[in-house]
Amino acid sequence: MRAYLPAYDLRIPASLSEALALLAREPGVWEPFAGGTDLMVLLEAGKLSHKRFLNLSTLSDLQGIDVTADTVLIGALTTYSEIQRHPVLQTEFPLLCQAARETGSIATQNRGTLGGNIANASPAADSPPALLVYDAEIELVSERGARWLRYQGFHTGYKKLQMAPDELLSTVRLPRRAKSWKQYYRKVGTRKAQAISKVCFAGAAQVESGVIRDIRIALGSVAPTVVRAVKTENSLRGAKLSPEIFPAAKELLAREIAPIDDIRSTARYRLRVAQNLLEEFLLQLTK
Ligand SMILES: Cc1cc2nc3c(=O)[nH]c(=O)nc-3n(C[C@H](O)[C@H](O)[C@H](O)COP(=O)(O)OP(=O)(O)OC[C@H]3O[C@@H](n4cnc5c(N)ncnc54)[C@H](O)[C@@H]3O)c2cc1C
């Protein structure tokens, strides 16, 4: 059933401070609206329970990509198309660019934002595994001030976030460390495009003389939140790369994730695919 449009209110704040003042005055009443690509699906389905929306799209403080010597700062309103076009993201953060390229269609990529993908908190979202691998940090702003958090741990449960109702996600910060690392990203869905992930895998590793010096592994669609496979990483760190280490790593990964059966796939399939992707990632490191 479609929603009744006159029942909704959309406010366009003139500035970030006006937006934050509104959120502070009536926390939980005003829901941020960025590209609208998640929210409009709910509207069409008649499932948009919120009635009052705060349009963020004109807020310049939440836009743009800035590169410093050590970091790349991505405004929450940055779209997937902007991510794909950015030269530093292309060369140093290819997993994020690939996630952006494989998100929805071009129309969705032109409107959907990185901040919206994070705040929507779907465990099947495609950019979060890349952000976890890159050790991203996020900035939340409110009238009370600004605070930076590690992205890892931001999602505390299914659709649960460490973000208060008066806060907005303003910036994603990526440290420029992974440049020389070998990187791997694979989204497995029903189709090549316009598909929600059955499993999404991102990995990066620093390999020297056949030994894994450091490694990061993150997955989507295999638990109530996107997850970093820390125990599997720990078991692989310092290991000499050879197919003999694959079975134990795959076993450990199975114990770190908790896939479920749903309309898109089964727990058994997701587990098998996650393990196969780990093997494919490790195999690529040997080359
Ligand atoms: C056809 C289609 C295909 C899609 N395919 C994919 C896909 O392949 N992979 C994938 O991961 N996603 C996909 N999506 C989902 C969606 O496009 C993304 O999650 C997108 O990044 C959401 O961003 P948005 O700006 O449109 O968010 P919105 O819809 O505007 O908002 C989403 C949620 O985030 C909150 N929010 C937004 N910005 C902020 C902020 N700065 N601070 C605080 N809260 C905020 C909103 O209040 C809302 O709860 C698809 C959607 C559609 C319609």
Side-chain angles (χ1 to χ4, degrees), residues 84-120:
Q84 289 172 67
R85 280 197 297 267
H86 197 275
V88 174
L89 294 179
Q90 283 169 6
T91 52
E92 296 182 30
F93 302 94
L95 309 184
L96 186 60
C97 291
Q98 194 175 336
R101 216 166 30 248
E102 296 192 25
T103 293
S105 61
I106 289 168
T108 307
Q109 292 167 17
N110 284 340
R111 275 206 71 88
T113 65
L114 185 61
N117 203 220
I118 295 171
N120 189 54

Side-chain angles (χ1 to χ4, degrees), residues 75-229:
L77 291 177
T78 303
T79 63
Y80 295 108
S81 300
E82 289 165 338
I83 287 171
Q84 289 172 67
R85 280 197 297 267
H86 197 275
V88 174
L89 294 179
Q90 283 169 6
T91 52
E92 296 182 30
F93 302 94
L95 309 184
L96 186 60
C97 291
Q98 194 175 336
R101 216 166 30 248
E102 296 192 25
T103 293
S105 61
I106 289 168
T108 307
Q109 292 167 17
N110 284 340
R111 275 206 71 88
T113 65
L114 185 61
N117 203 220
I118 295 171
N120 189 54
S122 164
D126 290 318
S127 60
L131 297 176
L132 285 177
V133 158
Y134 291 136
D135 261 340
E137 294 166 303
I138 52 177
E139 185 188 38
L140 301 176
V141 292
S142 69
E143 272 214 323
R144 295 171 285 125
R147 60 183 180 124
W148 283 96
L149 304 178
R150 276 190 84 192
Y151 176 54
Q152 191 178 342
F154 179 62
H155 302 288
T156 54
Y158 179 70
K159 293 264 178 187
K160 293 206 176 91
L161 324 164
Q162 291 193 56
M163 182 163 65
D166 66 339
E167 286 181 311
L168 287 177
L169 176 52
S170 78
T171 312
V172 176
R173 182 163 66 193
L174 302 177
R176 298 176 73 182
R177 283 199 285 263
K179 201 174 179 177
S180 58
W181 291 36
K182 293 190 176 184
Q183 304 189 27
Y184 171 92
Y185 180 92
R186 188 140 172 214
K187 167 177 172 171
V188 176
T190 306
R191 298 171 298 272
K192 281 267 182 203
Q194 283 284 36
I196 298 176
S197 290
K198 293 176 192 233
V199 179
C200 178
F201 186 109
Q206 198 179 23
V207 179
E208 279 168 21
S209 314
V211 173
I212 301 174
R213 290 287 168 224
D214 207 352
I215 188 161
R216 309 227 186 91
I217 296 165
L219 296 100
S221 289
V222 294
T225 65
V226 281
V227 285
R228 179 128 168 227

